[in-house]
Amino acid sequence: MYKFKDYYRNEVTLSFKDHPFSDAPKHVWVICKHKGKWLLTKHKERGLEFPGGKVEESENAKQAAIREVMEETGGAVETIQYVGQYYVSGRKDYIIKNVYFAEVKALIPQDTYYETEGPVLLEKIPENVKRNKQYSFMMKDEVLKHCMNYIKDRKNRQ
């Protein structure tokens, strides 16, 4: 388990155990790859980030993750794996979010990408993302770093 402060100085607790904070989280974040490249989206206000969002009443978190990838990038998910879950203790409320890793088999052009400008493919995620104004605040705390390491370690064990 990891504890740290996020971009806004809220306390974050991240775990790679199976749903340690909630069996029904209300938010998801999906680290994606497509043809060996990282698949992000460009949020119209926040900047570059991996797709994610809220779980709707009619779906579970995994279904929401697949839907969010399609809505924000046009990505058709081929495989998706639970990575971990984190708890953000905000000033007035809290958020519990599942993190997934998805392999995307195709990018399907969309009429709308909702609050984003659609897919962005990158060879690598820059190391200086914390200081890069192009990137969303969601890419600037240790959730990304720890999850990327976890994904890499899991791949090396396979």
Side-chain angles (χ1 to χ4, degrees):
M1 199 164 301
Y2 298 93
K3 288 187 180 240
F4 49 87
K5 301 283 186 182
D6 70 7
Y7 182 79
Y8 292 110
R9 311 294 302 148
N10 297 308
E11 185 172 297
V12 178
T13 306
L14 168 67
S15 175
F16 296 113
K17 292 186 177 173
D18 186 18
H19 298 83
F21 309 113
S22 174
D23 288 332
K26 302 288 186 220
H27 298 85
V28 296
W29 196 45
V30 190
I31 298 171
C32 302
K33 282 200 117 170
H34 174 63
K35 295 184 178 179
K37 294 183 178 179
W38 297 107
L39 173 61
L40 289 81
T41 189
K42 185 174 182 193
H43 190 278
K44 291 177 182 174
E45 295 173 8
R46 296 189 300 252
L48 295 172
E49 61 189 27
F50 285 111
K54 293 181 181 172
V55 177
E56 294 179 358
E57 279 190 41
S58 63
E59 62 190 1
N60 62 38
K62 186 176 181 181
Q63 292 167 330
I66 292 167
R67 175 185 51 76
E68 289 287 352
V69 171
M70 177 58 78
E71 285 181 359
E72 295 184 359
T73 70
V77 171
E78 183 170 26
T79 62
I80 189 164
Q81 299 171 331
Y82 171 85
V83 171
Q85 191 175 72
Y86 65 100
Y87 182 102
V88 180
S89 181
R91 287 167 186 78
K92 295 180 182 176
D93 207 355
Y94 67 91
I95 292 174
I96 298 173
K97 190 177 290 196
N98 275 9
V99 180
Y100 294 91
F101 174 68
E103 293 277 354
V104 171
K105 62 184 169 190
L107 293 178
I108 302 163
Q110 306 291 307
D111 290 335
T112 179
Y113 294 97
Y114 296 86
E115 68 274 5
T116 79
E117 294 176 9
V120 176
L121 291 167
L122 299 175
E123 291 286 338
K124 65 181 227 168
I125 304 298
E127 290 183 29
N128 68 342
V129 77
K130 283 185 180 183
R131 294 183 293 276
N132 191 323
K133 292 181 182 178
Q134 290 183 316
Y135 288 85
S136 165
F137 73 91
M138 290 196 303
M139 303 284 287
K140 296 183 178 188
D141 62 34
E142 294 189 32
V143 171
L144 178 62
K145 177 183 90 171
H146 291 302
C147 287
M148 295 289 264
N149 288 336
Y150 181 86
I151 291 164
K152 181 180 172 186
D153 290 346
R154 186 164 65 186
K155 185 177 179 183
N156 289 338
R157 285 181 295 211
Q158 291 177 344

